[in-house]
Amino acid sequence: MASSQTDLSSRERALDALRAVPSVQLAHYPTPIEELARLRAALGGGPRLLVKRDDAISFGCGGNKVRKLELVAAQALADGADTLITTGGGQSNHARATAAAAAKLGLKCVLVLNGTRPATPTGNALLDVLFGAELHYVERREDRAPAMREIASRLQAQGRRPVEIPLGASTPLGALGLARAVGELVTARTVPEFIVHATSSGGTQAGLVAGCILHGLPTRVLGISADTPSAEMQGIVTALLGGMADRLGIDREQLAGAREIEVDDGLVGDGYGIPTAGSREASDLLARTEALLVDQTYTAKALAGLIAHVRGGRFKDSDTVMFWHTGGQVAVFA
Ligand SMILES: Cc1ncc(COP(=O)(O)O)c(C=O)c1O
C-alpha cells in the first residue's frame, strides 16, 4: 500500500480512537466561532480575525480546562474515585473548573493553591469556595506537588479514593479533549491558517496540534507563553504529543515531531501573571471593540501576541487567524 494511504488509514483509526475515549459531558458543544471585525478594523486591517469562544463553554464559567476535565474526570470515575485533588495558583482557572466538575459529579474536591489564603476570596478563589472545594494553601509553587501527595495518602489512609490531577490537567488524556475540539472547526468548515492561544502547562497546545494533524488541517498553532521559555514549552508539548499517540495506538512520530511546535515567549514581560503594556492594551481593545473579556495572566498576553504579530506583518491579509479564547475571564473579578 502506498505510504500516503497507510498514513490516511492510520489517521482515520486514530480519529476513531479519539472519538471513542470515554468522557463525561459537562458542557454543550460546539462553542461559537465569531468574527472579530471591529478589533480588526481597530488594528487598521490585516488578516481576517476569528475567535473560538471556549471562554463561553457552558459549564463552571468555562475555559479550556473543562474540555480536558471531561476526559480526566471520566477516567477518575472509572477508577472509582470519590475525591479529585489538584493544584494551581491562587487564581487558578484549572482549580476552579476542577471544583465545578467535582460538584457536578458528586465528588469531593481538594485544591492545593500557592499563596496566602485571602481574607475575602474573589474571582476563581470565590468560585472554589462556592463549588464546595476544600482549600489548602502552600507558600511556594514547588510545595504544591508534595502537598497533594501528602493529602492523597492521608485520604487513602482514611479509606477514601482520591485521584490526583496534575497541574492544568495537562496529561495526554486531558490534551485529547482539545484534539477533539478541532473537530468543531471541521464541522463548521472553518479552517484558519493560524490558531493563536495562551500556553502554559502545554496540554492545550498539544491537543490543538494533535487535533490539526489528525483532522488533516494545515493550520499552524502558535502558543503564546504565559511564563515558560519557548524551548522548554516545546519539550513539554512534544512529550505530551508522544503520550497522546500512545493512547491513540499510533506511532509516536505521527504526532510528536510531525509539526514544528511554535511558541512565542516574548510576551511574558516581568513574569507570570504580571500585566504588560501590551496585555493591558489587548484587554482594553477587545473589551471596547468586541465586548469580550480576557485575563492578564493568559489570554490578554496571548491576544497581545496576536496583535504584535499582526502589526509585525507575520500574517498575510489573505490569512484567517483564529484567537482560541481559552477563558480566564473570571480573574477580571479577582
Ligand atoms: C485561561 C487559560 N488559558 C490558557 C491556559 C494554558 O493552557 P495549558 O495549561 O493547557 O497550556 C490556562 C491554564 O494554564 C488558562 O487558565
Side-chain angles (χ1 to χ4, degrees), residues 64-65 68 93-94 168 170 198-205 295 298-299 326-328:
N64 55 343
K65 308 303 175 185
K68 298 177 182 178
N93 298 299
H94 162 66
S170 279
T199 189
S200 180
S201 61
T204 300
Q205 186 154 14
D295 74 292
Y298 301 104
T299 40
T326 48

Side-chain angles (χ1 to χ4, degrees), residues 99 103 109 127-134:
C109 181
L127 296 185
D128 295 342
V129 175
L130 285 171
F131 292 139
E134 185 182 303

